[in-house]
Amino acid sequence: EIEIFKDFPFDAWDIRLIVVEVSRRSCMALDSLLLPAGYVKVAVLGKDAVYASRELASQIPAEGLRLPDRIQWNEPGTDEDTIDYMRFQRHFGVIGDLDDEVGDQRLHNETELEKQFNRTKT
């Protein structure tokens, strides 16, 4: 995503909302590209950051966005169909450090484990 937005002609397009997957490594770089281009980060949803144009952001109520108490998502290792929204956020480490109780769920993902193995192998 950084490569796409690095030279993007924002003034040639009327983009009001951008939802982009971020990581701890890419979030600051995307902020440094999108905020000066006239966007405001309005939310972080799991691994996705939501940027709104300043015009659209000005329409957000003064009391802020209303976030859900629970969302539809099956937490790994449970039979539950929903999860507390803030716990869901902690699974992806978007609110500072990962919650000790939740842990880094990416490490339970076979693809991520394989990537980490290959990185340490080389």
Side-chain angles (χ1 to χ4, degrees):
E1 290 86 355
I2 295 169
E3 291 300 315
I4 293 169
F5 291 121
K6 186 169 62 173
D7 297 315
F8 192 83
F10 289 102
D11 54 342
W13 296 88
D14 180 21
I15 301 174
R16 297 179 195 151
L17 195 68
I18 297 171
V19 179
V20 61
E21 185 176 343
V22 295
S23 67
R24 288 182 179 172
R25 292 181 183 160
S26 66
C27 67
M28 294 298 287
L30 283 165
D31 282 355
S32 70
L33 293 171
L34 296 175
L35 299 180
Y39 293 88
V40 177
K41 187 186 285 184
V42 295
V44 176
L45 307 170
K47 293 185 189 180
D48 297 330
V50 181
Y51 297 87
S53 67
R54 285 194 182 111
E55 178 185 340
L56 182 61
S58 70
Q59 298 173 26
I60 295 173
E63 61 273 9
L65 299 173
R66 185 169 173 256
L67 299 174
D69 293 326
R70 294 186 70 78
I71 61 169
Q72 293 289 121
W73 189 70
N74 177 253
E75 181 176 350
T78 73
D79 293 328
E80 296 291 322
D81 291 330
T82 64
I83 186 171
D84 175 74
Y85 180 76
M86 295 308 289
R87 183 175 172 89
F88 172 75
Q89 291 294 335
R90 289 191 307 266
H91 272 283
F92 300 102
V94 296
I95 306 174
D97 292 330
L98 291 164
D99 187 285
D100 290 335
E101 176 195 348
V102 173
D104 190 342
Q105 294 298 315
R106 292 169 294 184
L107 298 178
H108 299 292
N109 180 306
E110 290 178 25
T111 305
E112 186 63 28
L113 287 172
E114 184 178 337
K115 286 180 188 176
Q116 286 188 3
F117 174 77
N118 290 334
R119 279 193 293 261
T120 57
K121 189 173 145 183
T122 57

